Amino acid sequence: SAVISQKPSRDICQRGTSLTIQCQVDSQVTMMFWYRQQPGQSLTLIATANQGSEATYESGFVIDKFPISRPNLTFSTLTVSNMSPEDSSIYLCSVVREGVNREAFFGQGTRLTVV
Amino acid sequence: AQSVAQPEDQVNVAEGNPLTVKCTYSVSGNPYLFWYVQYPNRGLQFLLKYITGDNLVKGSYGFEAEFNKSQTSFHLKKPSALVSDSALYFCAAASGGSYIPTFGRGTSLIVHP
């Protein structure tokens, strides 16, 4: 298993501001991902955080809005920029270990409310 | 493309009764299948997975799931539900060539005392 610490656990932010979410893993992992879970909906993959290179974004998500850093194999940040109320969601960090056991492990999530 | 369907938004069951949460999937090749549970204000917790082997997979908290290749289903089951099982349950699937699972929309399980 993997222990993932994600912070902040929740925040209330003013529109137009930015919030940076941190994700710390207790061991080195190659694959780290960021998801968004909008109210009452499933998880949507935002991007794959690549160590040492630019993140790989899914359709509908762009770097200017969701810049991601991955300075090493145990840490990543996701910034939600120029926030609007539509960005109110739970943001989740996830890792998957390579090999046969492919289950994803998740941080506890960051519940963001934009007012 | 991968897809996962959870046809029920909500499942209601009385405590002590068996429960089933349905999931069907579409992936290319052999599937990797997962169930996760999300309690309020918490992240997702892994329950069980199917990769290969026996079609009946046993997981945490007394849950099990049955892989049915012909019906492309992976329903979650428990013989006797507990009130504490009330939570949001997500089914996920990945193809052999991808480490990124696709999630279903989730099913809210409500167990009544």
Side-chain angles (χ1 to χ4, degrees):
Chain A
S1 64
V3 176
I4 304 173
S5 300
Q6 188 176 334
K7 58 181 181 181
S9 58
R10 60 177 61 230
D11 207 342
I12 300 173
C13 300
Q14 297 291 321
R15 66 177 69 201
T17 63
S18 298
L19 175 71
T20 296
I21 303 167
Q22 298 182 3
C23 178
Q24 178 75 53
V25 188
D26 66 340
S27 58
Q28 294 185 342
V29 290
T30 303
M31 287 172 283
M32 185 178 286
F33 309 98
W34 287 98
Y35 287 87
R36 181 175 71 184
Q37 185 181 16
Q38 293 178 300
Q41 298 191 26
S42 186
L43 281 72
T44 302
L45 182 65
I46 297 172
T48 301
N50 301 309
Q51 192 268 328
S53 64
E54 192 172 284
T56 305
Y57 289 85
E58 298 299 306
S59 176
F61 298 96
V62 295
I63 188 171
D64 290 346
K65 176 66 176 178
F66 297 101
I68 289 171
S69 78
R70 180 89 191 271
N72 56 55
L73 291 177
T74 63
F75 185 78
S76 178
T77 66
L78 168 74
T79 298
V80 186
S81 303
N82 188 25
M83 289 183 285
S84 67
E86 292 72 34
D87 295 320
S88 298
S89 291
I90 298 173
Y91 292 85
L92 293 149
C93 170
S94 174
V95 301
V96 176
R97 294 196 183 281
E98 294 173 276
V100 175
N101 295 317
R102 294 194 178 190
E103 63 263 35
F105 299 96
F106 290 84
Q108 71 270 33
T110 297
R111 183 178 294 271
L112 170 63
T113 302
V114 184
V115 297
Chain B
Q2 302 171 172
S3 67
V4 175
Q6 293 181 244
E8 304 151 316
D9 287 337
Q10 184 171 300
V11 170
N12 291 277
V13 63
E15 187 174 32
N17 284 1
L19 68 88
T20 299
V21 183
K22 296 179 181 178
C23 171
T24 58
Y25 64 90
S26 175
V27 302
S28 57
N30 294 323
Y32 288 70
L33 302 168
F34 309 90
W35 275 102
Y36 292 86
V37 60
Q38 185 178 36
Y39 297 101
N41 302 315
R42 302 279 293 275
L44 271 70
Q45 297 178 29
F46 170 77
L47 271 181
L48 51 78
K49 68 176 180 283
Y50 171 84
I51 296 175
T52 186
D54 291 340
N55 290 343
L56 185 64
V57 179
K58 294 188 182 295
S60 305
Y61 312 120
F63 284 93
E64 57 190 27
E66 187 167 12
F67 169 62
N68 187 316
K69 187 174 183 178
S70 63
Q71 297 185 5
T72 62
S73 67
F74 191 54
H75 301 331
L76 181 69
K77 300 180 180 182
K78 187 173 182 181
S80 179
L82 300 172
V83 173
S84 58
D85 292 330
S86 299
L88 191 57
Y89 290 82
F90 289 96
C91 180
S95 66
S98 173
Y99 282 94
I100 305 175
T102 297
F103 287 84
R105 63 180 182 175
T107 298
S108 177
L109 173 66
I110 299 175
V111 181
H112 302 278

